[in-house]
Amino acid sequence: MGVEEGVYKAKTGLPLWMLGLGADLLWADMNRLLGFLFHQGVLDEQFLQLQQLQDDTSPNFVSEVVNIYFHESEKLLRNLRALLMEREFSDYKKMGSHLNQFMGSSSSIGAKRVRNVCVAFRAATEHNNRAGCLRALEMLEHEYCYLKNKLHELFQIEQQRALAAGVRYPAPVQN
Amino acid sequence: MAHEKMRTKLTALVVDDNKLNRKIHEKMLESFGVKSEGVENGREAVDIHCRGHRFDLILMDMDMPVMNGIEATKELRLMGIGSIIVGVSSRCTEAEIRKFMDAGLNDYHEKPFNTAKLSSILDNI
């Protein structure tokens, strides 16, 4: 065993060959989750587009964009619910406007299922169908929640992988 | 290589009320070496031109508060702005696209915008 290997083993308690295993397993987990989300239609190729835009100058681009999406979406969902809960609700045009925003953002990040529910919701507003709108809102809230949980899971795995990859290639000990 | 160098001299204005779309579109432009700015609505797009700024490319959303993309495009053309103006919207009926094009667009793309669409636009500049 070389000097550096001995030092790494002393610091982590693990042999050097095992330190990289965590990162590889997490990478596989990440790809499995992404594959699942694509297969289920939760995400589409636009999400890959975001990943391709991430680079050394913007290493957190995807999570920054997704966090903006979460912030904007929750505001829109609150507005939609507030509108529908109004006793004398009749502003379907305003509801349609919120939905256009939601649709635009969702398609920009590849949130395919959320976008599709927005399309159905918008159809209900165009028919002034309040009951239909309420049903669509519940579906939208459900889909959005599911997407948010899955994306958080994805980012958590990515974070753990980055940490594990950092352990795999620690800085050499300076004498 | 010369093609890429030419692209790095281009400037663009992203006109969209959606902060997320502005961020994504500006990042896409950056990936092609295009320097860009973003504004929130058509009125701001007109105002920035009134202040003397000029851009090779304008990515114009349709539905925006204060001044929408159709009104902004008409006004920019009336001002004599000859930039390439590309409409980018999630609207997709033929009538809506025709109305937007008639305002003075050079091209129109349906959202979501991506690097392939942007590349085809930049190839024509």
Side-chain angles (χ1 to χ4, degrees), chain B residues 19-85:
Chain B
K19 181 182 174 185
L20 186 145
N21 287 338
R22 285 199 309 275
K23 187 174 174 85
I24 295 173
H25 296 171
E26 288 189 66
K27 184 65 184 169
M28 280 182 191
L29 287 159
E30 185 194 294
S31 74
F32 282 95
V34 178
K35 196 175 164 194
S36 69
E37 282 183 57
V39 292
E40 290 185 14
N41 57 59
R43 171 49 57 200
E44 289 186 14
V46 169
D47 288 348
I48 202 172
H49 282 86
C50 288
R51 291 198 293 273
H53 294 262
R54 292 294 179 267
F55 303 90
D56 300 294
L57 170 67
I58 301 171
L59 295 180
M60 183 76 78
D61 184 26
M62 190 159 87
D63 292 310
M64 293 178 286
V66 186
M67 184 187 276
N68 66 32
I70 294 173
E71 291 160 5
T73 303
K74 280 182 185 169
E75 198 152 325
L76 288 170
R77 291 306 191 208
L78 280 172
M79 285 167 63
I81 301 298
S83 311
I84 301 287
I85 305 180

Short mmCIF file of all heavy atoms in Angstrom, two decimals, chain B residues 19-85:
data_model
loop_
_atom_site.label_atom_id
_atom_site.label_comp_id
_atom_site.label_asym_id
_atom_site.label_seq_id
_atom_site.Cartn_x
_atom_site.Cartn_y
_atom_site.Cartn_z
N LYS B 19 -39.87 34.73 -15.90
CA LYS B 19 -38.45 34.79 -15.49
C LYS B 19 -37.71 33.50 -15.85
O LYS B 19 -36.54 33.52 -16.26
CB LYS B 19 -38.42 34.99 -13.96
CG LYS B 19 -37.06 35.11 -13.34
CD LYS B 19 -37.18 35.27 -11.84
CE LYS B 19 -35.82 35.22 -11.17
NZ LYS B 19 -35.92 35.26 -9.70
N LEU B 20 -38.42 32.38 -15.72
CA LEU B 20 -37.81 31.09 -16.01
C LEU B 20 -37.44 30.99 -17.49
O LEU B 20 -36.35 30.57 -17.85
CB LEU B 20 -38.79 29.98 -15.61
CG LEU B 20 -38.32 28.55 -15.68
CD1 LEU B 20 -38.94 27.76 -14.56
CD2 LEU B 20 -38.69 27.94 -17.00
N ASN B 21 -38.35 31.41 -18.34
CA ASN B 21 -38.08 31.37 -19.79
C ASN B 21 -36.94 32.31 -20.16
O ASN B 21 -36.09 31.96 -20.99
CB ASN B 21 -39.33 31.75 -20.59
CG ASN B 21 -40.37 30.65 -20.58
OD1 ASN B 21 -40.06 29.50 -20.35
ND2 ASN B 21 -41.62 31.01 -20.81
N ARG B 22 -36.91 33.46 -19.54
CA ARG B 22 -35.81 34.41 -19.82
C ARG B 22 -34.47 33.76 -19.46
O ARG B 22 -33.51 33.83 -20.23
CB ARG B 22 -35.97 35.72 -19.05
CG ARG B 22 -37.04 36.65 -19.59
CD ARG B 22 -36.85 38.09 -19.11
NE ARG B 22 -36.70 38.23 -17.68
CZ ARG B 22 -37.71 38.32 -16.83
NH1 ARG B 22 -38.96 38.26 -17.26
NH2 ARG B 22 -37.49 38.46 -15.53
N LYS B 23 -34.43 33.12 -18.32
CA LYS B 23 -33.17 32.50 -17.86
C LYS B 23 -32.72 31.40 -18.83
O LYS B 23 -31.56 31.32 -19.20
CB LYS B 23 -33.36 31.92 -16.45
CG LYS B 23 -32.07 31.41 -15.83
CD LYS B 23 -32.29 30.99 -14.39
CE LYS B 23 -31.05 30.34 -13.80
NZ LYS B 23 -30.08 31.28 -13.27
N ILE B 24 -33.67 30.56 -19.24
CA ILE B 24 -33.34 29.45 -20.13
C ILE B 24 -32.91 29.98 -21.50
O ILE B 24 -31.89 29.55 -22.06
CB ILE B 24 -34.52 28.47 -20.28
CG1 ILE B 24 -34.81 27.79 -18.93
CG2 ILE B 24 -34.23 27.42 -21.34
CD1 ILE B 24 -36.07 26.93 -18.94
N HIS B 25 -33.68 30.91 -22.04
CA HIS B 25 -33.36 31.41 -23.38
C HIS B 25 -32.03 32.16 -23.39
O HIS B 25 -31.25 32.03 -24.34
CB HIS B 25 -34.50 32.31 -23.89
CG HIS B 25 -35.79 31.57 -24.08
ND1 HIS B 25 -36.98 32.20 -24.35
CD2 HIS B 25 -36.09 30.26 -24.01
CE1 HIS B 25 -37.94 31.31 -24.44
NE2 HIS B 25 -37.43 30.12 -24.24
N GLU B 26 -31.76 32.91 -22.33
CA GLU B 26 -30.48 33.63 -22.27
C GLU B 26 -29.31 32.66 -22.16
O GLU B 26 -28.24 32.87 -22.73
CB GLU B 26 -30.49 34.63 -21.11
CG GLU B 26 -31.39 35.84 -21.40
CD GLU B 26 -31.26 36.95 -20.38
OE1 GLU B 26 -30.18 37.57 -20.29
OE2 GLU B 26 -32.24 37.22 -19.67
N LYS B 27 -29.53 31.58 -21.44
CA LYS B 27 -28.46 30.57 -21.30
C LYS B 27 -28.21 29.87 -22.63
O LYS B 27 -27.08 29.58 -23.00
CB LYS B 27 -28.86 29.54 -20.22
CG LYS B 27 -27.80 28.50 -19.93
CD LYS B 27 -26.55 29.11 -19.33
CE LYS B 27 -25.48 28.05 -19.13
NZ LYS B 27 -24.18 28.63 -18.79
N MET B 28 -29.30 29.62 -23.36
CA MET B 28 -29.16 29.00 -24.69
C MET B 28 -28.36 29.93 -25.59
O MET B 28 -27.46 29.49 -26.32
CB MET B 28 -30.53 28.77 -25.31
CG MET B 28 -31.23 27.55 -24.79
SD MET B 28 -32.80 27.36 -25.64
CE MET B 28 -33.53 26.10 -24.63
N LEU B 29 -28.70 31.20 -25.59
CA LEU B 29 -27.98 32.17 -26.42
C LEU B 29 -26.51 32.21 -26.02
O LEU B 29 -25.62 32.24 -26.87
CB LEU B 29 -28.63 33.55 -26.29
CG LEU B 29 -29.98 33.70 -26.99
CD1 LEU B 29 -30.79 34.86 -26.42
CD2 LEU B 29 -29.79 33.89 -28.50
N GLU B 30 -26.25 32.19 -24.73
CA GLU B 30 -24.87 32.21 -24.22
C GLU B 30 -24.10 31.00 -24.73
O GLU B 30 -22.92 31.11 -25.09
CB GLU B 30 -24.90 32.22 -22.69
CG GLU B 30 -23.53 32.35 -22.05
CD GLU B 30 -23.58 32.00 -20.56
OE1 GLU B 30 -24.24 32.73 -19.80
OE2 GLU B 30 -22.96 30.99 -20.18
N SER B 31 -24.77 29.86 -24.80
CA SER B 31 -24.09 28.64 -25.25
C SER B 31 -23.64 28.75 -26.71
O SER B 31 -22.76 28.02 -27.16
CB SER B 31 -24.98 27.41 -25.04
OG SER B 31 -26.02 27.38 -25.99
N PHE B 32 -24.27 29.67 -27.46
CA PHE B 32 -23.87 29.93 -28.84
C PHE B 32 -22.96 31.15 -28.95
O PHE B 32 -22.68 31.62 -30.04
CB PHE B 32 -25.10 30.14 -29.73
CG PHE B 32 -25.80 28.86 -30.11
CD1 PHE B 32 -26.88 28.41 -29.37
CD2 PHE B 32 -25.39 28.11 -31.20
CE1 PHE B 32 -27.53 27.24 -29.70
CE2 PHE B 32 -26.03 26.94 -31.55
CZ PHE B 32 -27.11 26.50 -30.79
N GLY B 33 -22.56 31.68 -27.81
CA GLY B 33 -21.68 32.84 -27.81
C GLY B 33 -22.39 34.15 -28.10
O GLY B 33 -21.75 35.15 -28.43
N VAL B 34 -23.72 34.15 -27.99
CA VAL B 34 -24.48 35.38 -28.25
C VAL B 34 -24.70 36.11 -26.92
O VAL B 34 -25.18 35.53 -25.96
CB VAL B 34 -25.86 35.05 -28.88
CG1 VAL B 34 -26.66 36.31 -29.11
CG2 VAL B 34 -25.66 34.29 -30.19
N LYS B 35 -24.38 37.40 -26.93
CA LYS B 35 -24.56 38.21 -25.72
C LYS B 35 -26.02 38.65 -25.67
O LYS B 35 -26.55 39.14 -26.67
CB LYS B 35 -23.64 39.43 -25.81
CG LYS B 35 -23.44 40.16 -24.51
CD LYS B 35 -22.42 41.29 -24.66
CE LYS B 35 -22.55 42.22 -23.45
NZ LYS B 35 -21.86 43.48 -23.64
N SER B 36 -26.67 38.48 -24.51
CA SER B 36 -28.10 38.82 -24.48
C SER B 36 -28.51 39.61 -23.26
O SER B 36 -27.80 39.66 -22.25
CB SER B 36 -28.93 37.53 -24.54
OG SER B 36 -28.79 36.81 -23.34
N GLU B 37 -29.66 40.27 -23.40
CA GLU B 37 -30.31 40.95 -22.28
C GLU B 37 -31.75 40.47 -22.24
O GLU B 37 -32.27 40.00 -23.27
CB GLU B 37 -30.34 42.46 -22.52
CG GLU B 37 -29.03 43.17 -22.26
CD GLU B 37 -29.16 44.67 -22.45
OE1 GLU B 37 -30.00 45.30 -21.79
OE2 GLU B 37 -28.38 45.20 -23.29
N GLY B 38 -32.40 40.63 -21.08
CA GLY B 38 -33.80 40.22 -20.98
C GLY B 38 -34.66 41.35 -20.47
O GLY B 38 -34.22 42.16 -19.64
N VAL B 39 -35.88 41.45 -21.00
CA VAL B 39 -36.86 42.41 -20.49
C VAL B 39 -38.18 41.68 -20.28
O VAL B 39 -38.41 40.61 -20.86
CB VAL B 39 -37.06 43.63 -21.42
CG1 VAL B 39 -35.81 44.49 -21.45
CG2 VAL B 39 -37.45 43.20 -22.83
N GLU B 40 -39.07 42.30 -19.48
CA GLU B 40 -40.26 41.58 -19.02
C GLU B 40 -41.50 41.73 -19.88
O GLU B 40 -42.48 41.02 -19.69
CB GLU B 40 -40.62 42.05 -17.60
CG GLU B 40 -39.63 41.59 -16.56
CD GLU B 40 -40.07 41.96 -15.15
OE1 GLU B 40 -41.24 42.34 -14.95
OE2 GLU B 40 -39.21 41.89 -14.26
N ASN B 41 -41.52 42.75 -20.75
CA ASN B 41 -42.72 42.93 -21.57
C ASN B 41 -42.39 43.76 -22.80
O ASN B 41 -41.27 44.27 -22.94
CB ASN B 41 -43.84 43.58 -20.76
CG ASN B 41 -43.45 44.90 -20.15
OD1 ASN B 41 -43.08 45.85 -20.88
ND2 ASN B 41 -43.50 45.03 -18.84
N GLY B 42 -43.38 43.89 -23.66
CA GLY B 42 -43.18 44.61 -24.91
C GLY B 42 -42.83 46.07 -24.72
O GLY B 42 -42.04 46.64 -25.48
N ARG B 43 -43.40 46.70 -23.70
CA ARG B 43 -43.11 48.12 -23.44
C ARG B 43 -41.63 48.33 -23.13
O ARG B 43 -41.00 49.24 -23.66
CB ARG B 43 -44.00 48.60 -22.29
CG ARG B 43 -43.73 49.99 -21.70
CD ARG B 43 -43.60 51.09 -22.70
NE ARG B 43 -44.73 51.24 -23.56
CZ ARG B 43 -44.71 51.87 -24.75
NH1 ARG B 43 -43.60 52.39 -25.22
NH2 ARG B 43 -45.81 51.95 -25.46
N GLU B 44 -41.08 47.41 -22.31
CA GLU B 44 -39.65 47.51 -21.97
C GLU B 44 -38.79 47.26 -23.21
O GLU B 44 -37.72 47.85 -23.34
CB GLU B 44 -39.30 46.53 -20.86
CG GLU B 44 -39.89 46.93 -19.50
CD GLU B 44 -39.44 46.04 -18.36
OE1 GLU B 44 -38.47 45.27 -18.53
OE2 GLU B 44 -40.07 46.10 -17.29
N ALA B 45 -39.28 46.40 -24.09
CA ALA B 45 -38.52 46.13 -25.33
C ALA B 45 -38.48 47.39 -26.19
O ALA B 45 -37.44 47.74 -26.76
CB ALA B 45 -39.17 44.98 -26.10
N VAL B 46 -39.61 48.07 -26.29
CA VAL B 46 -39.66 49.31 -27.07
C VAL B 46 -38.79 50.38 -26.40
O VAL B 46 -37.99 51.05 -27.06
CB VAL B 46 -41.12 49.80 -27.21
CG1 VAL B 46 -41.18 51.21 -27.79
CG2 VAL B 46 -41.92 48.84 -28.08
N ASP B 47 -38.91 50.49 -25.08
CA ASP B 47 -38.15 51.52 -24.35
C ASP B 47 -36.65 51.34 -24.51
O ASP B 47 -35.90 52.33 -24.65
CB ASP B 47 -38.52 51.50 -22.86
CG ASP B 47 -39.91 52.05 -22.60
OD1 ASP B 47 -40.49 52.67 -23.53
OD2 ASP B 47 -40.43 51.88 -21.48
N ILE B 48 -36.19 50.10 -24.47
CA ILE B 48 -34.74 49.88 -24.57
C ILE B 48 -34.24 50.31 -25.96
O ILE B 48 -33.12 50.80 -26.10
CB ILE B 48 -34.38 48.41 -24.24
CG1 ILE B 48 -32.92 48.28 -23.81
CG2 ILE B 48 -34.70 47.46 -25.37
CD1 ILE B 48 -32.53 46.90 -23.28
N HIS B 49 -35.09 50.16 -26.96
CA HIS B 49 -34.72 50.63 -28.30
C HIS B 49 -34.79 52.15 -28.37
O HIS B 49 -33.97 52.78 -29.05
CB HIS B 49 -35.63 50.00 -29.36
CG HIS B 49 -35.27 48.59 -29.68
ND1 HIS B 49 -35.74 47.52 -28.95
CD2 HIS B 49 -34.46 48.06 -30.64
CE1 HIS B 49 -35.25 46.39 -29.45
NE2 HIS B 49 -34.46 46.70 -30.48
N CYS B 50 -35.74 52.74 -27.66
CA CYS B 50 -35.84 54.21 -27.62
C CYS B 50 -34.58 54.83 -26.98
O CYS B 50 -34.21 55.95 -27.31
CB CYS B 50 -37.07 54.67 -26.83
SG CYS B 50 -38.61 54.37 -27.72
N ARG B 51 -33.96 54.05 -26.11
CA ARG B 51 -32.73 54.53 -25.45
C ARG B 51 -31.50 54.33 -26.34
O ARG B 51 -30.38 54.64 -25.94
CB ARG B 51 -32.52 53.82 -24.11
CG ARG B 51 -33.54 54.20 -23.04
CD ARG B 51 -33.05 53.82 -21.65
NE ARG B 51 -32.96 52.38 -21.46
CZ ARG B 51 -33.98 51.61 -21.07
NH1 ARG B 51 -35.17 52.14 -20.83
NH2 ARG B 51 -33.82 50.31 -20.89
N GLY B 52 -31.71 53.78 -27.52
CA GLY B 52 -30.62 53.67 -28.49
C GLY B 52 -29.97 52.29 -28.60
O GLY B 52 -29.07 52.10 -29.42
N HIS B 53 -30.45 51.33 -27.80
CA HIS B 53 -29.86 49.99 -27.90
C HIS B 53 -30.35 49.30 -29.17
O HIS B 53 -31.49 49.51 -29.59
CB HIS B 53 -30.26 49.14 -26.68
CG HIS B 53 -29.69 49.65 -25.39
ND1 HIS B 53 -28.55 49.13 -24.82
CD2 HIS B 53 -30.12 50.65 -24.57
CE1 HIS B 53 -28.30 49.80 -23.70
NE2 HIS B 53 -29.23 50.71 -23.52
N ARG B 54 -29.50 48.47 -29.75
CA ARG B 54 -29.88 47.71 -30.92
C ARG B 54 -29.41 46.27 -30.76
O ARG B 54 -28.37 46.01 -30.14
CB ARG B 54 -29.27 48.31 -32.20
CG ARG B 54 -29.82 49.67 -32.59
CD ARG B 54 -31.28 49.60 -32.99
NE ARG B 54 -31.84 50.90 -33.35
CZ ARG B 54 -32.47 51.73 -32.52
NH1 ARG B 54 -32.64 51.38 -31.23
NH2 ARG B 54 -32.95 52.87 -32.94
N PHE B 55 -30.19 45.36 -31.30
CA PHE B 55 -29.87 43.94 -31.16
C PHE B 55 -29.98 43.27 -32.52
O PHE B 55 -30.82 43.65 -33.34
CB PHE B 55 -30.84 43.27 -30.17
CG PHE B 55 -30.86 43.92 -28.82
CD1 PHE B 55 -31.74 44.97 -28.55
CD2 PHE B 55 -29.98 43.52 -27.83
CE1 PHE B 55 -31.73 45.60 -27.31
CE2 PHE B 55 -29.98 44.14 -26.59
CZ PHE B 55 -30.85 45.18 -26.33
N ASP B 56 -29.17 42.25 -32.74
CA ASP B 56 -29.27 41.51 -34.00
C ASP B 56 -30.52 40.65 -34.01
O ASP B 56 -31.14 40.43 -35.04
CB ASP B 56 -28.03 40.61 -34.17
CG ASP B 56 -26.75 41.43 -34.19
OD1 ASP B 56 -26.59 42.20 -35.17
OD2 ASP B 56 -25.94 41.32 -33.25
N LEU B 57 -30.87 40.13 -32.83
CA LEU B 57 -31.97 39.18 -32.72
C LEU B 57 -32.86 39.55 -31.54
O LEU B 57 -32.36 39.91 -30.47
CB LEU B 57 -31.40 37.77 -32.53
CG LEU B 57 -32.37 36.64 -32.16
CD1 LEU B 57 -33.34 36.36 -33.30
CD2 LEU B 57 -31.60 35.37 -31.81
N ILE B 58 -34.16 39.46 -31.75
CA ILE B 58 -35.11 39.67 -30.65
C ILE B 58 -35.99 38.42 -30.55
O ILE B 58 -36.63 38.04 -31.55
CB ILE B 58 -36.00 40.92 -30.87
CG1 ILE B 58 -35.12 42.17 -31.01
CG2 ILE B 58 -36.99 41.08 -29.72
CD1 ILE B 58 -35.89 43.42 -31.43
N LEU B 59 -35.98 37.78 -29.38
CA LEU B 59 -36.89 36.66 -29.15
C LEU B 59 -38.10 37.23 -28.42
O LEU B 59 -37.98 37.69 -27.28
CB LEU B 59 -36.22 35.57 -28.29
CG LEU B 59 -35.02 34.86 -28.92
CD1 LEU B 59 -34.46 33.82 -27.96
CD2 LEU B 59 -35.38 34.21 -30.23
N MET B 60 -39.25 37.20 -29.07
CA MET B 60 -40.43 37.91 -28.57
C MET B 60 -41.54 36.93 -28.17
O MET B 60 -42.08 36.21 -29.01
CB MET B 60 -40.94 38.84 -29.68
CG MET B 60 -42.12 39.70 -29.30
SD MET B 60 -41.67 41.09 -28.26
CE MET B 60 -40.99 42.20 -29.49
N ASP B 61 -41.88 36.96 -26.90
CA ASP B 61 -43.02 36.18 -26.42
C ASP B 61 -44.30 36.88 -26.88
O ASP B 61 -44.28 38.09 -27.14
CB ASP B 61 -42.97 36.08 -24.88
CG ASP B 61 -44.06 35.21 -24.29
OD1 ASP B 61 -44.56 34.30 -24.98
OD2 ASP B 61 -44.43 35.45 -23.13
N MET B 62 -45.41 36.16 -26.92
CA MET B 62 -46.64 36.79 -27.38
C MET B 62 -47.46 37.37 -26.22
O MET B 62 -47.77 38.55 -26.22
CB MET B 62 -47.50 35.80 -28.16
CG MET B 62 -48.67 36.49 -28.84
SD MET B 62 -49.36 35.57 -30.19
CE MET B 62 -50.52 34.54 -29.35
N ASP B 63 -47.78 36.53 -25.24
CA ASP B 63 -48.65 36.97 -24.15
C ASP B 63 -47.83 37.58 -23.02
O ASP B 63 -47.15 36.88 -22.29
CB ASP B 63 -49.44 35.77 -23.59
CG ASP B 63 -50.44 35.25 -24.60
OD1 ASP B 63 -51.19 36.08 -25.16
OD2 ASP B 63 -50.44 34.04 -24.85
N MET B 64 -47.94 38.91 -22.92
CA MET B 64 -47.23 39.61 -21.84
C MET B 64 -48.10 40.74 -21.33
O MET B 64 -48.89 41.30 -22.09
CB MET B 64 -45.91 40.21 -22.36
CG MET B 64 -44.88 39.18 -22.77
SD MET B 64 -43.39 39.94 -23.42
CE MET B 64 -43.94 40.49 -25.03
N PRO B 65 -47.98 41.08 -20.06
CA PRO B 65 -48.75 42.22 -19.54
C PRO B 65 -48.17 43.54 -20.06
O PRO B 65 -47.09 43.56 -20.65
CB PRO B 65 -48.56 42.10 -18.02
CG PRO B 65 -47.26 41.41 -17.87
CD PRO B 65 -47.08 40.50 -19.05
N VAL B 66 -48.86 44.62 -19.85
CA VAL B 66 -48.46 45.99 -20.22
C VAL B 66 -48.49 46.16 -21.73
O VAL B 66 -49.22 46.97 -22.26
CB VAL B 66 -47.07 46.39 -19.65
CG1 VAL B 66 -46.78 47.85 -19.95
CG2 VAL B 66 -47.01 46.14 -18.14
N MET B 67 -47.63 45.43 -22.45
CA MET B 67 -47.66 45.45 -23.91
C MET B 67 -47.30 44.05 -24.41
O MET B 67 -46.24 43.53 -24.06
CB MET B 67 -46.68 46.48 -24.47
CG MET B 67 -46.75 46.59 -26.00
SD MET B 67 -45.47 47.65 -26.71
CE MET B 67 -46.21 49.25 -26.55
N ASN B 68 -48.18 43.45 -25.21
CA ASN B 68 -47.90 42.07 -25.65
C ASN B 68 -46.96 42.05 -26.84
O ASN B 68 -46.56 43.10 -27.37
CB ASN B 68 -49.20 41.32 -25.93
CG ASN B 68 -49.97 41.88 -27.12
OD1 ASN B 68 -49.37 42.39 -28.07
ND2 ASN B 68 -51.28 41.78 -27.07
N GLY B 69 -46.61 40.85 -27.29
CA GLY B 69 -45.61 40.70 -28.35
C GLY B 69 -46.07 41.23 -29.69
O GLY B 69 -45.26 41.74 -30.48
N ILE B 70 -47.36 41.13 -29.96
CA ILE B 70 -47.90 41.63 -31.24
C ILE B 70 -47.76 43.15 -31.30
O ILE B 70 -47.26 43.70 -32.28
CB ILE B 70 -49.36 41.18 -31.43
CG1 ILE B 70 -49.42 39.66 -31.57
CG2 ILE B 70 -50.00 41.88 -32.61
CD1 ILE B 70 -50.81 39.06 -31.60
N GLU B 71 -48.20 43.81 -30.25
CA GLU B 71 -48.13 45.28 -30.20
C GLU B 71 -46.67 45.74 -30.24
O GLU B 71 -46.35 46.71 -30.93
CB GLU B 71 -48.79 45.79 -28.91
CG GLU B 71 -50.30 45.60 -28.87
CD GLU B 71 -50.86 45.65 -27.45
OE1 GLU B 71 -50.08 45.94 -26.50
OE2 GLU B 71 -52.06 45.42 -27.28
N ALA B 72 -45.83 45.06 -29.49
CA ALA B 72 -44.42 45.46 -29.42
C ALA B 72 -43.74 45.30 -30.78
O ALA B 72 -42.98 46.17 -31.22
CB ALA B 72 -43.68 44.63 -28.37
N THR B 73 -44.04 44.20 -31.46
CA THR B 73 -43.44 43.97 -32.78
C THR B 73 -43.88 45.05 -33.76
O THR B 73 -43.06 45.60 -34.50
CB THR B 73 -43.85 42.57 -33.31
OG1 THR B 73 -43.45 41.58 -32.37
CG2 THR B 73 -43.20 42.28 -34.65
N LYS B 74 -45.17 45.37 -33.75
CA LYS B 74 -45.69 46.43 -34.65
C LYS B 74 -44.97 47.75 -34.37
O LYS B 74 -44.53 48.44 -35.29
CB LYS B 74 -47.19 46.62 -34.41
CG LYS B 74 -48.06 45.59 -35.09
CD LYS B 74 -49.54 45.90 -34.83
CE LYS B 74 -50.42 44.80 -35.41
NZ LYS B 74 -51.82 44.92 -34.97
N GLU B 75 -44.84 48.07 -33.09
CA GLU B 75 -44.23 49.35 -32.72
C GLU B 75 -42.75 49.39 -33.11
O GLU B 75 -42.26 50.41 -33.63
CB GLU B 75 -44.39 49.61 -31.22
CG GLU B 75 -44.18 51.09 -30.90
CD GLU B 75 -44.91 51.57 -29.66
OE1 GLU B 75 -46.04 51.09 -29.41
OE2 GLU B 75 -44.35 52.44 -28.97
N LEU B 76 -42.05 48.30 -32.91
CA LEU B 76 -40.62 48.26 -33.26
C LEU B 76 -40.45 48.43 -34.77
O LEU B 76 -39.55 49.13 -35.23
CB LEU B 76 -39.99 46.95 -32.79
CG LEU B 76 -39.79 46.82 -31.28
CD1 LEU B 76 -39.38 45.39 -30.91
CD2 LEU B 76 -38.74 47.80 -30.78
N ARG B 77 -41.32 47.81 -35.53
CA ARG B 77 -41.22 47.94 -36.99
C ARG B 77 -41.55 49.37 -37.43
O ARG B 77 -40.90 49.91 -38.32
CB ARG B 77 -42.16 46.94 -37.70
CG ARG B 77 -41.74 45.48 -37.57
CD ARG B 77 -40.34 45.21 -37.99
NE ARG B 77 -40.05 43.78 -38.09
CZ ARG B 77 -38.84 43.27 -37.92
NH1 ARG B 77 -37.80 44.05 -37.65
NH2 ARG B 77 -38.65 41.96 -38.05
N LEU B 78 -42.52 49.97 -36.76
CA LEU B 78 -42.87 51.38 -37.07
C LEU B 78 -41.70 52.31 -36.76
O LEU B 78 -41.52 53.34 -37.42
CB LEU B 78 -44.09 51.81 -36.26
CG LEU B 78 -45.45 51.36 -36.80
CD1 LEU B 78 -46.56 51.68 -35.82
CD2 LEU B 78 -45.75 52.01 -38.17
N MET B 79 -40.91 51.92 -35.75
CA MET B 79 -39.74 52.71 -35.37
C MET B 79 -38.59 52.51 -36.36
O MET B 79 -37.55 53.14 -36.25
CB MET B 79 -39.24 52.29 -33.97
CG MET B 79 -40.10 52.79 -32.83
SD MET B 79 -39.70 51.96 -31.26
CE MET B 79 -38.02 52.46 -30.99
N GLY B 80 -38.77 51.55 -37.28
CA GLY B 80 -37.73 51.29 -38.25
C GLY B 80 -36.69 50.27 -37.78
O GLY B 80 -35.61 50.18 -38.35
N ILE B 81 -37.04 49.52 -36.74
CA ILE B 81 -36.10 48.52 -36.23
C ILE B 81 -36.08 47.33 -37.19
O ILE B 81 -37.11 46.69 -37.41
CB ILE B 81 -36.50 48.04 -34.81
CG1 ILE B 81 -36.53 49.22 -33.84
CG2 ILE B 81 -35.57 46.92 -34.33
CD1 ILE B 81 -35.20 49.93 -33.66
N GLY B 82 -34.92 47.06 -37.75
CA GLY B 82 -34.79 46.00 -38.75
C GLY B 82 -34.23 44.70 -38.20
O GLY B 82 -33.91 43.79 -38.96
N SER B 83 -34.14 44.58 -36.88
CA SER B 83 -33.59 43.36 -36.28
C SER B 83 -34.42 42.15 -36.68
O SER B 83 -35.61 42.28 -37.01
CB SER B 83 -33.62 43.46 -34.75
OG SER B 83 -33.08 44.67 -34.30
N ILE B 84 -33.81 40.98 -36.60
CA ILE B 84 -34.56 39.74 -36.78
C ILE B 84 -35.41 39.57 -35.53
O ILE B 84 -34.89 39.50 -34.41
CB ILE B 84 -33.60 38.52 -36.91
CG1 ILE B 84 -32.66 38.70 -38.09
CG2 ILE B 84 -34.39 37.22 -37.00
CD1 ILE B 84 -33.29 38.54 -39.45
N ILE B 85 -36.74 39.52 -35.72
CA ILE B 85 -37.64 39.33 -34.58
C ILE B 85 -38.29 37.96 -34.74
O ILE B 85 -38.95 37.69 -35.76
CB ILE B 85 -38.74 40.41 -34.48
CG1 ILE B 85 -38.11 41.81 -34.46
CG2 ILE B 85 -39.57 40.20 -33.22
CD1 ILE B 85 -39.14 42.96 -34.37
#
